[in-house]
Amino acid sequence: MRNPLLSLVFAGLLAIPAADALACGGCFSPTSPDAKQTVFQNAERVLFVRDEAAGKSVVWIEVVYGGLAQNFGWVLPVPKVPTVGVGTRHVFDALDDKLAFRIARVEDSWENCRDPQEGCQANDSGKDASGATQAGPDGASLDDVGMDIGMVPVPGVEVLDSGSTGPYDYAVIQGKLADPIFQWLTQNGYATPEKAKPILQSHATKGDVFVAIKLQNGQGVEAIRPITLEMTDAEPCVPLRLTSIAAAQEMSVTVTVAGSGRSVVKNHFDVALNPLRMTLLAPGKTRPCLPLAPAGAECLEPDNYAQVMSAAIDEAGGHAFVTEASVPGASLAKLSPLQDVSLADLASSKNLWDLANFLANSELPLDSEVVTALQATVGQTGQFMTVSPDQALTNLKACGKYWNQPGADDQCISGKTMLSRSAMVQAQFDGSAASTAVQTSIIDPLFHVADLIGKSNRATRMVLRISPEEMDRDPVFAFHATLPVVAPG
């Protein structure tokens, strides 16, 4: 008898009626001499939060794509005109750390902490660690706004909003017919393929609006950040049909939904993976250990986890998600260690020597978002003009650690750059502005999302691996009040 990869269980009655659907869309290349589609979306992370008290929905969307910065174009169909902003990928990284599947390995053995018959049960303290997945399929008025300079008007398409946010320029457009929408997108730098027309028409017929987003001139790929949308309450949905226009094979889609109950997918299966097919023959992706893990354990994502997941989803015709976790929202009220990072020493910094000290002693990572926040205030001193901003700050951090040692020389060599402590003291730096930039672009969004999720009854993480030819339906999510929690490993 064949050893099954998956189990398929149908959902019970869903807790909410149908509503307008939130959405995330596809990548279209701006017009270029090369008519080929040059942008490919490799992965997507999505967060939906229903703010019951405010009667609004909040959605964060992050795409991982391959292509040149000038070829980046992103079109999102949504049911209502949103407030458009940018977020931080640290929110998604924190959700990965909290909710992604993992196993605990002790010495040369490993145990599946989701199996109630195995060793983790003894440490469970009465909590439900079965991890059984039981979801499956069931069968504002606006003032006119001006058009940005350089935006090409097209009859039949109305520009409802436009502007800039973070590294992006955006426009919110609406039309009743696909042809003028197609023409507007193409003439305004989104090389929309003909095969997108039926999908555009289906959204237009529903009355959806389209958020069209491009990187501003001069912005590099490293500037890409999550998009945030806030609008009146709507039902979570991922429009994979539009995503299919430029999706890579076996694209990963990770969706976290926070709301009144455990989230289920109304028109897809939910599959449970066979843990006996997972291996740790090679080092897997390291994950933080959770309280249920045995003392001294190393917690990892199995090295063949993606393959096992893909095989299970393929048995469901590509129309299935894996529910990795469903936990009380209050357990995520503290989302990231970055919420504990003090910026007081950064705010009081007056020169680059102060900044070097801060970087050397702070837990703030020098990733692309932090570098972007600090870059505008670092200034162009002689030591910093010959290297990239991230390398300049990395050098400064390394030299800060060196200069904090007893007997350190004035000169410090990091990489191929020599820095002088006395020169750094003379190089002025606006620490207050830098602190504000980090606080508003990274720390505050973490607190905001943690507060929203923390007030939710349940937060559910679901993962899909899918190829473009399987993206023939848009997953729609709803909430079920009585389904059990699912421990994330």
Side-chain angles (χ1 to χ4, degrees):
M1 184 175 69
R2 183 168 59 92
N3 186 12
L5 279 173
L6 54 87
S7 62
L8 303 177
V9 188
F10 289 90
L13 293 176
L14 297 176
I16 62 171
D20 293 328
L22 288 176
C24 51
C27 289
F28 297 156
S29 300
T31 305
S32 68
D34 184 357
K36 297 180 180 179
Q37 186 75 17
T38 55
V39 169
F40 293 95
Q41 188 171 338
N42 298 322
E44 185 169 279
R45 294 192 289 185
V46 184
L47 168 66
F48 298 107
V49 183
R50 229 174 190 156
D51 187 345
E52 305 284 352
K56 68 179 181 180
S57 293
V58 177
V59 57
W60 284 46
I61 310 160
E62 180 198 55
V63 297
V64 178
Y65 98 109
L68 301 176
Q70 64 265 31
N71 289 339
F72 180 84
W74 197 0
V75 180
L76 314 168
V78 293
K80 301 166 185 177
V81 178
T83 299
V84 183
V86 293
T88 169
R89 67 176 61 92
H90 288 285
V91 163
F92 289 108
D93 292 344
L95 290 171
D96 286 349
D97 285 345
K98 296 283 188 181
L99 301 178
F101 180 81
R102 72 211 70 195
I103 59 177
R105 180 171 65 181
V106 181
E107 295 179 351
D108 294 328
S109 65
W110 67 273
E111 57 182 315
N112 178 7
C113 294
R114 186 175 287 183
D115 188 343
Q117 303 303 318
E118 296 297 332
C120 287
Q121 185 184 36
N123 298 322
D124 197 13
S125 303
K127 296 180 181 178
D128 178 10
S130 68
T133 52
Q134 301 182 18
D138 66 359
S141 67
L142 294 169
D143 295 329
D144 291 335
V145 297
M147 185 174 295
D148 283 355
I149 296 175
M151 196 177 295
V152 180
V154 171
V157 175
E158 183 180 5
V159 179
L160 303 174
D161 188 19
S162 62
S164 300
T165 181
Y168 302 113
D169 291 326
Y170 72 89
V172 182
I173 64 172
Q174 187 173 39
K176 295 182 179 180
L177 298 175
D179 282 342
I181 295 171
F182 177 92
Q183 183 182 355
W184 189 98
L185 291 171
T186 301
Q187 292 188 4
N188 284 280
Y190 301 83
T192 314
E194 286 282 341
K195 63 182 178 180
K197 282 187 177 181
I199 305 172
L200 294 173
Q201 185 62 64
S202 68
H203 286 289
T205 301
K206 291 189 333 185
D208 288 345
V209 302
F210 298 89
V211 183
I213 299 167
K214 292 188 296 185
L215 281 170
Q216 296 167 353
N217 289 338
Q219 295 286 355
V221 173
E222 70 282 353
I224 293 175
R225 296 178 60 177
I227 290 292
T228 68
L229 307 171
E230 292 191 11
M231 66 195 80
T232 53
D233 203 13
E235 185 177 54
C237 171
V238 178
L240 289 179
R241 291 179 300 149
L242 194 59
T243 302
S244 69
I245 299 299
Q249 291 293 320
E250 290 298 314
M251 175 178 150
S252 173
V253 181
T254 303
V255 183
T256 302
V257 184
S260 58
R262 175 169 154 184
S263 182
V264 294
V265 192
K266 292 167 53 172
N267 56 352
H268 280 60
F269 289 108
D270 188 294
V271 299
L273 306 183
N274 184 346
L276 298 180
R277 290 183 176 267
M278 300 179 194
T279 69
L280 286 175
L281 298 177
K285 183 183 297 181
T286 301
R287 298 288 188 192
C289 285
L290 300 174
L292 296 182
E298 179 185 21
C299 293
L300 304 166
E301 178 184 293
D303 51 271
N304 69 334
Y305 183 65
Q307 291 87 343
V308 173
M309 182 190 302
S310 294
I313 292 172
D314 285 345
E315 286 200 11
H319 302 130
F321 282 79
V322 173
T323 300
E324 292 191 330
S326 185
V327 301
S331 67
L332 300 177
K334 173 64 179 301
L335 195 58
S336 169
L338 287 179
Q339 292 172 258
D340 292 330
V341 170
S342 172
L343 300 179
D345 289 342
L346 177 61
S348 63
S349 297
K350 303 299 182 185
N351 52 52
L352 292 184
W353 159 242
D354 292 339
L355 176 60
N357 269 308
F358 168 77
L359 295 175
N361 295 289
S362 175
E363 296 299 319
L364 190 69
L366 280 179
D367 58 34
S368 62
E369 290 187 359
V370 173
V371 170
T372 298
L374 295 176
Q375 181 179 352
T377 53
V378 167
Q380 293 293 325
T381 67
Q383 291 88 347
F384 282 73
M385 291 182 67
T386 58
V387 295
S388 62
D390 60 334
Q391 186 59 56
L393 290 166
T394 298
N395 293 341
L396 199 61
K397 179 175 182 176
C399 286
K401 291 182 177 181
Y402 169 73
W403 287 325
N404 279 324
Q405 298 175 2
D409 296 331
D410 182 74
Q411 303 294 327
C412 167
I413 298 177
S414 177
K416 297 181 179 179
T417 303
M418 178 177 288
L419 298 181
S420 163
R421 176 167 49 186
S422 55
M424 295 297 97
V425 172
Q426 298 300 316
Q428 295 185 353
F429 171 70
D430 189 346
S432 177
S435 175
T436 299
V438 174
Q439 185 73 40
T440 57
S441 65
I442 299 173
I443 308 299
D444 287 347
L446 281 166
F447 275 101
H448 175 63
V449 171
D451 180 65
L452 286 176
I453 297 178
K455 292 176 180 176
S456 301
N457 177 271
R458 192 82 72 84
T460 306
R461 174 189 172 96
M462 291 163 284
V463 181
L464 169 69
R465 289 183 65 85
I466 191 168
S467 296
E469 60 272 13
E470 298 168 330
M471 298 179 181
D472 58 3
R473 66 188 68 173
D474 298 337
V476 179
F477 302 86
F479 301 101
H480 197 297
T482 61
L483 288 175
V485 300
V486 178

